[in-house]
Amino acid sequence: MQSQAPQLKKKTAEAFFCKFLNRDVKVTECIDDYVNANSLNIRHSPCFKCSNGLKVRLEYANN
């Protein structure tokens, strides 16, 4: 058996610039808006089917 060194997890940024909203957005706000837009099928929201929102959500879930 090979022993594996523990993997260090990257710290998620607190906020980032959202090119779709054209402003700084907190990670928690992004996740909330992404989940709400997709679960409620709000198609006119810029967060609906946002590839960046999905990436932020998956990264947050993995940390």
Side-chain angles (χ1 to χ4, degrees):
M1 281 178 133
Q2 295 177 353
S3 64
Q4 294 179 351
Q7 291 182 350
L8 298 176
K9 294 190 177 191
K10 292 190 293 184
K11 183 173 169 116
T12 307
E14 297 291 322
F16 63 95
F17 183 79
C18 176
K19 64 182 177 182
F20 298 109
L21 297 175
N22 199 31
R23 64 180 173 91
D24 286 334
V25 178
K26 291 181 182 176
V27 169
T28 54
E29 180 185 355
C30 174
I31 293 171
D32 287 345
D33 291 347
Y34 175 81
V35 170
N36 287 336
N38 288 284
S39 65
L40 300 174
N41 205 24
I42 304 172
R43 295 180 183 268
H44 65 274
S45 171
C47 301
F48 184 74
K49 301 290 185 184
C50 174
S51 60
N52 195 39
L54 176 60
K55 182 179 135 191
V56 168
R57 182 173 178 248
L58 291 174
E59 186 178 309
Y60 186 81
N62 288 330
N63 285 335

